[in-house]
Amino acid sequence: MVPLSYSVRNLRVRATTTLATALGVGLVVFVFASVLMLGEGITRTLGRAGSADVAVVLRDGADAEMSSSIELPAAGLIMNAPQVRRRADGRPDAVAESVVVIILDKLGTEGVSNVAVRGVTDDVLAFRPSVRVIAGRAPRPGSDECLLGASIRGRFRGLELGQSFEVKKNRRLTVVGIMADGGSSFESEVWIDRNVLAAAFGRESVVSSVRVRLASSGAFEALRSSLEGDRQLAVDVKRESVWYEEQSQGTSMFIKAIGLLVAVFFSVGAMIGAMITMHAAVASRQREIGTLRALGFSKKSILASFLFESVALSLLGGALGATASLAMGLVRFSIVNFASWSEIVFEFAPTPGILAASLAFAGAMGLFGGMFPAARAARMNVLDALRG
Amino acid sequence: MTTAYREPEKGDPLVRLQRVVKTFHRGSEDLTVLDGLDFEIPTGSFEALMGPSGSGKSTLLNLIAGLDRPTAGKVLVAGNDLGAMNDGQLAAFRARHLGFIFQSYNLMPVLTAAENVELPLLLTRLPSAERKKRALIALRVVGLEDRVNHYPKQLSGGQEQRVAIARAIVNDPTILVADEPTGDLDRKSADAILDLLVRLNTEFKKTIVMVTHDPAAAERASVIRRMNKGVLQ
């Protein structure tokens, strides 16, 4: 085996070429890692909103709250099901909410985008204890006040504490509080009184969804068979955590597919870069290759040595790219969620798995890029190589 | 055919060439460089091969060193028929039996003197500490024990060639082949290298085959063979 120090020091000797090639690989890895981090961010953001002990009930066949409507009497029946936990005051631990999408002017860019508005009841913060009002106060029930998600604060005209916006023509709402929920999708919503929303959008007799906290973890199946078995209700029942996971799949997969496609195209360029670098290395070290072969090193060990060099070069680039991608954790990114057609703000979420996958991707680029030059080095005729 | 390595026995000629022909193809033309060569090199000999350019002396050296195969005839080194070996077997043969000294030293520029000398030992099963110890001994033999951590560019031409000689002897090879070992050196450094080769031959009983243009270098060998147009004169 040719010593590894031979390969590593050769990379150091050609520092400029090594760095240029590594940066090319690093750029691709940066894109690759960022895309995976974004996909992870989407899954986390939507997943965080889901709770395993909560069941969400939608109209049969509806895949999102936007497209679901449940009559208020039916909602009452659902909330009072025996599998639903009761609060201390004896009322069911459940909420029936309406969700609509409004169009608002975006700040900082030309154009408009959708914002999800959730009509909530006054016990919403009790139902979702993870949601905290981090600035201002909670809205007064029945008023034209609203609570704004921290992620979309300042991203749309009027969406700032103390400011107001039109939820419907001639119907203005004032932002009196900012809420946070650990980066969940609720932070990309505006919460208003459900009755105010119902009046503004003509939804007095229906809600979009009902969420109930289960009396016990094992109560879910009983609740589902009971509610889904009732043909008059015509509803679908899912665990909230599962439902949000399904919600995130489309958007997450779309982002990952587009991003990975770009990364793969870029990687062809980076592999060609690595290949050119390694071809140049082989050409300039012909005599060394001939000498190693003359000393008795096998073709396989020459192949392995140059492949190692190429992979080490790419891993250096991969490490640079992966490190740079960590800075994306500071960036917030908004896209339209395909499930709700409203804008949701995501963070890039790095994980050890993503960093490992990025390095593996870099290594693969080095392996494929270095294969032909390494094979050329290994196949070289000893005497021709010695002549340089 | 399988080829088992066999250590040379006392009295064996170390190198034996039998009706060796070497022809190169240059386009549509065939160029015969060695033409039915027969000769032997006994164990412990120090032989110089001289002759004008194109006389076939380097080709002959390459055949003896297992870097090339004859077109016809047999090249037997330490009892092994080199023409019958595949590439892998030849590489293993060179690692075990050959020590190379090149005109341009051919050291790895990114490795230190000690690391360069240790290279052939990486093909053995010796533990790291033993390899380093032997590399130091080889460098001591060539008088460079104070240059172990120097890189080739930090050494003079003569010192580089001495490192190359240390590399050539570190695995205690059966035969040393030297291709114009003093060709790139000034007279003083060349004499020092030739002194070293003579010492390796007389003191360490190494068989040496040296190709040279330099009559003064050839004079230091125990046998001088002259080649012309592919035959020994």
Side-chain angles (χ1 to χ4, degrees):
Chain A
M1 181 75 185
V2 180
L4 300 184
S5 57
Y6 172 73
S7 304
V8 173
R9 285 182 206 168
N10 267 303
L11 287 175
R12 214 167 53 194
V13 165
R14 297 176 286 120
T16 309
T17 318
T18 297
L19 197 62
T21 311
L23 284 177
V25 173
L27 182 66
V28 177
V29 170
F30 174 80
V31 172
F32 179 84
S34 299
V35 165
L36 291 184
M37 283 161 57
L38 182 57
E40 178 66 19
I42 290 169
T43 306
R44 275 194 202 177
T45 298
L46 292 177
R48 256 185 213 141
S51 180
D53 67 343
V54 170
V56 60
V57 185
L58 299 176
R59 164 70 58 201
D60 186 15
D63 54 2
E65 288 179 285
M66 276 286 296
S67 55
S68 167
S69 68
I70 298 171
E71 301 287 331
L72 276 178
L77 284 173
I78 293 165
M79 292 167 80
N80 283 292
Q83 295 84 4
V84 176
R85 198 169 80 182
R86 298 271 155 181
R87 294 178 189 157
D89 59 5
R91 290 164 61 197
D93 196 4
V95 289
E97 296 173 332
S98 292
V99 178
V100 296
V101 165
I102 62 170
I103 295 172
L104 289 176
D105 291 331
K106 291 190 81 169
L107 290 178
T109 56
E110 292 285 317
V112 294
S113 192
N114 293 345
V115 174
V117 178
R118 181 176 296 273
V120 297
T121 46
D122 56 0
D123 57 352
V124 64
L125 292 177
F127 186 77
R128 295 194 179 97
S130 60
V131 176
R132 291 174 299 110
V133 177
I134 57 169
R137 58 173 173 80
R140 285 192 302 269
S143 68
D144 284 351
E145 296 175 345
C146 71
L147 202 51
L148 176 65
S151 290
I152 53 169
R153 179 183 189 180
R155 295 178 82 96
F156 292 86
R157 191 178 305 281
L159 294 194
E160 181 54 87
L161 191 61
Q163 293 184 2
S164 63
F165 62 97
E166 273 191 337
V167 69
K168 193 86 176 175
K169 194 157 180 68
N170 299 323
R171 189 71 191 256
R172 295 195 78 82
L173 295 178
T174 303
V175 179
V176 297
I178 306 294
M179 62 170 167
D181 185 30
S184 83
S185 58
F186 291 135
E187 289 191 7
S188 296
E189 293 181 349
V190 177
W191 286 3
I192 68 175
D193 186 284
R194 192 181 82 193
N195 294 327
V196 173
L197 183 145
F201 289 88
R203 295 173 67 102
E204 287 88 350
S205 61
V206 294
V207 292
S208 301
S209 64
V210 177
R211 282 176 171 80
V212 299
R213 182 157 283 110
L214 298 164
S216 69
S217 176
F220 175 75
E221 282 306 325
L223 178 75
R224 187 170 72 167
S225 61
S226 158
L227 296 182
E228 290 186 354
D230 188 335
R231 289 186 179 177
Q232 282 191 316
L233 287 176
V235 292
D236 278 338
V237 184
K238 287 183 177 169
R239 277 193 196 275
E240 195 183 36
S241 53
V242 174
W243 183 68
Y244 274 115
E245 200 179 306
E246 288 172 5
Q247 295 271 296
S248 71
Q249 271 175 357
T251 309
S252 172
M253 279 177 66
F254 176 76
I255 292 288
K256 280 183 185 172
I258 293 286
L260 292 181
L261 200 65
V262 171
V264 166
F265 273 118
F266 277 15
S267 74
V268 173
M271 273 192 281
I272 291 172
M275 197 181 293
I276 291 170
T277 301
M278 291 312 297
H279 268 305
V282 170
S284 66
R285 275 146 61 193
Q286 273 196 40
R287 185 172 287 183
E288 292 174 35
I289 294 165
T291 305
L292 289 169
R293 294 277 289 121
L295 293 178
F297 286 92
S298 66
K299 289 180 179 180
K300 275 184 195 165
S301 57
I302 300 291
L303 180 87
S305 171
F306 278 88
L307 271 183
F308 170 78
E309 194 168 319
S310 178
V311 170
L313 174 68
S314 293
L315 286 178
L316 173 68
L320 290 174
T323 306
S325 73
L326 292 176
M328 293 302 287
L330 305 172
V331 177
R332 309 191 82 174
F333 187 80
S334 70
I335 59 168
V336 171
N337 180 16
F338 292 160
S340 64
W341 295 108
S342 60
E343 187 157 302
I344 294 190
V345 179
F346 300 104
E347 287 175 356
F348 290 77
T351 66
I354 289 174
L355 296 179
S358 303
L359 287 179
F361 184 51
M365 278 191 276
L367 196 66
F368 287 114
M371 201 167 277
F372 287 111
R376 183 176 143 226
R379 281 202 304 262
M380 221 171 252
N381 176 279
V382 185
L383 292 174
D384 290 342
L386 280 172
R387 287 185 200 108
Chain B
M1 171 183 169
T2 56
T3 306
Y5 302 130
R6 189 170 67 81
E7 292 300 321
E9 291 170 15
K10 198 171 179 182
D12 273 354
L14 186 61
V15 178
R16 181 184 290 165
L17 274 74
Q18 296 172 340
R19 295 178 296 284
V20 168
V21 176
K22 181 66 187 177
T23 303
F24 292 103
H25 305 288
R26 295 279 181 269
S28 58
E29 199 179 333
D30 282 351
L31 181 67
T32 300
V33 178
L34 299 178
D35 193 5
L37 207 59
D38 279 296
F39 89 106
E40 292 178 351
I41 298 174
T43 303
S45 180
F46 180 2
E47 308 225 350
L49 288 173
M50 293 196 77
S53 295
S55 60
K57 55 189 186 304
S58 288
T59 302
L60 175 58
L61 194 74
N62 290 336
L63 289 176
I64 293 169
L67 295 173
D68 205 356
R69 294 188 184 83
T71 309
K74 278 191 174 181
V75 177
L76 300 158
V77 179
N80 300 286
D81 182 356
L82 303 194
M85 291 182 178
N86 62 28
D87 283 351
Q89 288 169 326
L90 274 179
F93 169 81
R94 290 194 298 269
R96 169 66 192 88
H97 292 284
L98 266 293
F100 288 91
I101 303 165
F102 301 97
Q103 179 176 351
S104 304
Y105 332 127
N106 291 23
L107 299 178
M108 304 297 140
V110 297
L111 301 182
T112 63
E115 288 167 338
N116 265 288
V117 174
E118 194 187 338
L119 270 178
L121 298 178
L122 295 174
L123 296 165
T124 67
R125 293 185 177 182
L126 290 173
S128 172
E130 181 63 22
R131 291 199 307 264
K132 287 178 183 7
K133 186 176 145 195
R134 291 194 188 189
L136 278 177
I137 291 169
L139 281 168
R140 197 171 299 138
V141 168
V142 300
L144 285 179
E145 62 268 42
D146 57 343
R147 293 286 188 272
V148 290
N149 292 319
H150 284 58
Y151 287 92
K153 67 181 176 193
Q154 298 170 312
L155 302 171
S156 69
Q159 288 173 327
E160 279 194 76
Q161 191 60 298
R162 280 196 275 163
V163 173
I165 291 173
R167 181 180 66 186
I169 60 171
V170 73
N171 59 342
D172 191 24
T174 312
I175 184 167
L176 285 174
V177 292
D179 191 357
E180 302 279 9
T182 58
D184 282 1
L185 299 175
D186 58 53
R187 189 70 262 160
K188 190 178 166 197
S189 301
D191 285 339
I193 292 300
L194 291 166
D195 288 344
L196 187 55
L197 290 178
V198 169
R199 188 175 155 226
L200 289 174
N201 175 244
T202 54
E203 193 178 322
F204 293 92
K205 310 297 179 198
K206 289 291 157 200
T207 306
I208 302 173
V209 185
M210 174 177 71
V211 164
T212 183
H213 276 105
D214 178 9
E219 287 295 324
R220 308 294 296 273
S222 50
V223 178
I224 300 176
R225 296 179 192 264
R226 295 181 195 282
M227 289 193 71
N228 196 17
K229 295 180 180 173
V231 292
L232 280 168
Q233 294 179 325

